[in-house]
């Protein structure tokens, strides 16, 4: 029997009700918030307290892990030229603790989805950092994309690379400068 993957989802400009419908469609029981800062001025329904309230009304538990798995770490050693360097983040103890928690959830087959703000998984650290780390550990990752469809981690990496094979290890970094 094939094990259930770890899912990811981005809310972007989705309505909270649409997001909950998708979580229920894929039988998600725990939503793990991997935003470094769990609030949204653009879409306030996805700010921590509001989100937690709406999820609870729908029997989905909210878990904040942005301190461990967030895309904008507070440690300067995680940056190269002002951008988050995901290969440096992977080496950090806090990040490894977060991945270990996800691995435990997967081993126990807890139905989880990682959530961030970017709707398209190829534009988010969910795929470029967390998804790549989990895949290296043999943990399957499936992204709920902007259309609500499931896309494998491999398909998202192909979107990022344009389907081109690289002779060298890809270096993934944040799109924006933070420092």
């Amino acid at each position: 029997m094939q094990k259930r993957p770890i899912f990811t989802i981005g809310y972007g400009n989705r309505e909270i009700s649409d997001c909950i419908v998708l979580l229920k469609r894929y039988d998600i029981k725990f939503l793990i918030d991997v935003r470094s800062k769990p609030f949204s001025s653009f879409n306030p329904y996805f700010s921590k307290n509001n989100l937690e309230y709406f999820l609870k009304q729908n029997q989905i538990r909210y878990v904040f892990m942005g301190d461990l798995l967030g895309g904008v770490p507070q440690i300067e050693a995680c940056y190269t030229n002002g951008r988050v360097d995901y290969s440096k983040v992977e080496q950090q103890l806090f990040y490894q603790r977060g991945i270990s928690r996800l691995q435990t959830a997967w081993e126990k087959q807890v139905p989880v989805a990682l959530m961030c703000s970017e709707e398209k998984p190829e534009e988010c650290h969910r795929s470029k950092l967390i998804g790549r780390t989990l895949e290296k550990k043999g943990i399957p990752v499936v992204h709920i994309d902007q259309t609500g469809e499931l896309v494998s981690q491999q398909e998202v990496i192909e979107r990022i690379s344009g389907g081109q094979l690289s002779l060298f290890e890809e270096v993934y970094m944040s799109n924006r400068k933070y420092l």
Side-chain angles (χ1 to χ4, degrees):
M1 184 166 106
Q2 189 171 351
K3 282 191 164 186
R4 176 185 181 85
I6 289 184
F7 289 82
T8 85
I9 189 169
Y11 60 85
N13 60 8
R14 293 186 213 269
E15 296 291 327
I16 186 73
S17 58
D18 295 335
C19 190
I20 288 171
V21 164
L22 287 170
L23 295 173
K24 286 183 168 191
R25 179 189 303 169
Y26 298 113
D27 197 32
I28 303 301
K29 303 294 184 207
F30 292 82
L31 186 71
I32 300 174
D33 190 343
V34 295
R35 296 173 295 171
S36 295
K37 296 179 181 168
F39 66 89
S40 174
S41 55
F42 173 74
N43 201 338
Y45 289 111
F46 288 93
S47 290
K48 182 181 188 277
N49 292 339
N50 293 334
L51 179 59
E52 195 166 10
Y53 170 80
F54 286 110
L55 291 171
K56 188 174 185 178
Q57 299 304 309
N58 288 277
Q59 292 74 49
I60 300 170
R61 295 224 13 228
Y62 173 88
V63 179
F64 176 73
M65 288 183 63
D67 54 340
L68 302 175
L69 298 171
V72 186
Q74 304 231 341
I75 298 174
E76 278 190 51
C78 294
Y79 293 80
T80 300
N81 298 322
R83 296 181 192 275
V84 182
D85 184 329
Y86 298 139
S87 64
K88 291 180 178 180
V89 175
E90 278 186 303
Q91 304 306 312
Q92 300 296 320
L93 187 56
F94 66 86
Y95 177 76
Q96 292 169 11
R97 278 197 309 266
I99 292 297
S100 178
R101 287 180 63 187
L102 294 180
Q103 186 169 3
T104 299
W106 178 73
E107 288 167 354
K108 293 181 177 184
Q109 287 294 277
V110 176
V112 303
L114 311 178
M115 185 205 71
C116 200
S117 60
E118 290 84 358
E119 246 180 325
K120 294 181 178 181
E122 61 270 21
E123 295 176 358
C124 187
H125 80 291
R126 297 187 321 268
S127 64
K128 296 176 187 176
L129 173 60
I130 301 169
R132 291 182 71 236
T133 302
L134 292 173
E135 288 272 309
K136 288 178 201 172
K137 293 183 169 289
I139 299 171
V141 177
V142 175
H143 305 276
I144 303 170
D145 76 2
Q146 65 277 12
T147 66
E149 298 303 313
L150 298 181
V151 182
S152 73
Q153 172 68 15
Q154 185 59 41
E155 289 173 284
V156 171
I157 295 301
E158 287 173 10
R159 287 181 185 177
I160 294 169
S161 68
Q164 298 296 312
L165 294 176
S166 175
L167 297 175
F168 308 101
E169 177 68 23
E170 293 292 331
V171 176
Y172 290 97
M173 299 177 82
S174 62
N175 294 332
R176 292 183 20 209
K177 282 190 172 189
Y178 293 97
L179 294 181

